[in-house]
Amino acid sequence: MTTTPSPAPPFGRALCAMITPFTEAGALDPDGAQRLAAWLVDEGCDGLVLSGTTGESPTTTDAEKAELIRAVREAVGDRASVVAGVGTFDTRHTVELALAAEKAGADGLLVVAPYYSRPPQDAVEAHFREVADAAGLPLVLYDIPGRTGTRIEPETLIRLAEHPRIVAVKDCSYDFLGAQKVLARTELAYYAGCDEHNLALYAVGGAGYISTVANVVPARLRAVLDVFEAGDTPVSARLQQRATPLIESMMSAGLPGTVTTKALLHELGLPAGPVRAPLRPAGREAVDRLLAVYQEFVTG
């Protein structure tokens, strides 16, 4: 049996869902964003995804989103891809953000399923097609029904894969069978959006990950994929397993990932700043727990 090599992922394999740094007064911190972006790329990130869930997109303005893209693009140049979150519950507004992101220098667009209004699948498909038709950049479709209330069903993804500018999926569906069905029938690049699935999805043909946890341990998460690529599956599995306590503490311990990430970045002396309301900062006890798990991971 002969096989052909898989095409290179469109935005790289190891992508970070970057936080949006703010000043202590709560304003956008473009200088901090540049410092953090440069550090993440130096530590092994192939790409940076801006203004997603972790990037507090619901509470940043359109102008701030564009300024963030420009700042990060200047900081990383062509060393990493820059994917801009532009998805909203309003198709018209999403198209406007897509065009602004392209003008600001993004390489691709992250477009979440329309949320709150819970449109049926034909309307979800039409929404994505309208954005893809209007934009000149490739799209990553973001399937996170736990937040949006709406799935992008596998059959919908299979139809959307026919569009030349719809090239990838960020998968937070927790439907591993559905993901494999789409992988088997399309050329879509599938990125794990939940860190506990990074290796599992990659092992069945995924493209890599778009990770919140990568904000604080970018090199260690990349090593999981690098070791797997080198052919040492048992070691790769152990590296993924060792990351589990940190993933759980940051993503499944009662606080949003944005909150836990900014808390850890602050403790590590990296740009972060406060979260914007309605999010609230982690309390000291929670920060100490996070820091203990982080330190055990990086020193173990």
Side-chain angles (χ1 to χ4, degrees):
M1 178 179 176
T2 60
T3 60
T4 56
S6 299
F11 306 107
R13 295 183 299 145
L15 278 67
C16 177
M18 197 178 100
I19 59 106
T20 299
F22 299 131
T23 68
E24 288 307 312
L28 181 70
D29 181 7
D31 292 338
Q34 289 190 322
R35 294 196 306 275
L36 180 60
W39 179 78
L40 289 168
V41 174
D42 288 344
E43 290 292 307
C45 290
D46 299 323
L48 304 173
V49 178
L50 310 178
S51 298
T53 306
T54 305
E56 296 179 79
S57 59
T59 56
T60 56
T61 67
D62 293 3
E64 287 174 328
K65 289 178 172 67
E67 184 178 0
L68 180 65
I69 296 166
R70 289 191 294 269
V72 170
R73 176 89 281 164
E74 181 180 341
V76 303
D78 60 2
R79 296 194 299 139
S81 60
V82 175
V83 178
V86 299
T88 74
F89 48 40
D90 176 355
T91 304
R92 174 195 53 79
H93 188 199
T94 302
V95 168
E96 290 174 357
L97 287 172
L99 296 175
E102 183 176 4
K103 184 177 180 180
D107 298 305
L109 306 171
L110 178 73
V111 188
V112 72
Y115 43 90
Y116 187 72
S117 53
R118 300 183 70 179
Q121 288 299 295
D122 62 339
V124 171
E125 183 176 345
H127 171 84
F128 287 127
R129 288 188 182 275
E130 186 167 340
V131 178
D133 287 341
L137 296 177
L139 270 62
V140 182
L141 306 187
Y142 186 8
D143 188 17
I144 183 167
R147 288 181 181 268
T148 65
T150 302
R151 271 299 307 271
I152 313 174
E153 295 289 349
E155 291 299 325
T156 304
L157 286 168
I158 290 165
R159 290 192 299 272
L160 286 167
E162 299 169 0
H163 197 290
R165 280 194 290 275
I166 295 176
V167 302
V169 177
K170 179 182 179 183
D171 180 39
C172 292
S173 68
Y174 286 95
D175 179 6
F176 202 65
L177 177 60
Q180 291 178 79
K181 288 166 61 177
V182 179
L183 280 165
R185 293 176 57 187
T186 75
E187 297 299 319
L188 289 172
Y190 243 77
Y191 289 96
C194 304
D195 281 277
E196 61 270 34
H197 290 173
N198 288 355
L199 178 58
L201 190 57
Y202 194 67
V204 296
Y209 56 72
I210 298 174
S211 165
T212 294
V213 177
N215 278 279
V216 296
V217 285
R220 288 174 180 266
L221 292 190
R222 184 189 179 96
V224 174
L225 303 190
D226 288 345
V227 171
F228 183 86
E229 277 292 303
D232 199 335
T233 302
V235 171
S236 179
R238 286 197 292 274
L239 291 175
Q240 176 72 39
Q241 292 159 8
R242 284 196 58 236
T244 299
L246 181 63
I247 293 168
E248 182 176 22
S249 295
M250 290 182 65
M251 306 303 294
S252 302
L255 291 173
T258 303
V259 173
T260 57
T261 301
K262 284 196 163 183
L264 275 175
L265 286 171
H266 176 77
E267 294 296 314
L268 298 175
L270 289 163
V275 292
R276 283 183 175 173
L279 296 180
R280 295 171 61 86
R284 189 66 246 175
E285 184 177 342
V287 173
D288 288 343
R289 286 197 301 270
L290 280 166
L291 195 56
V293 175
Y294 168 85
Q295 290 173 335
E296 182 175 358
F297 176 53
V298 299
T299 61

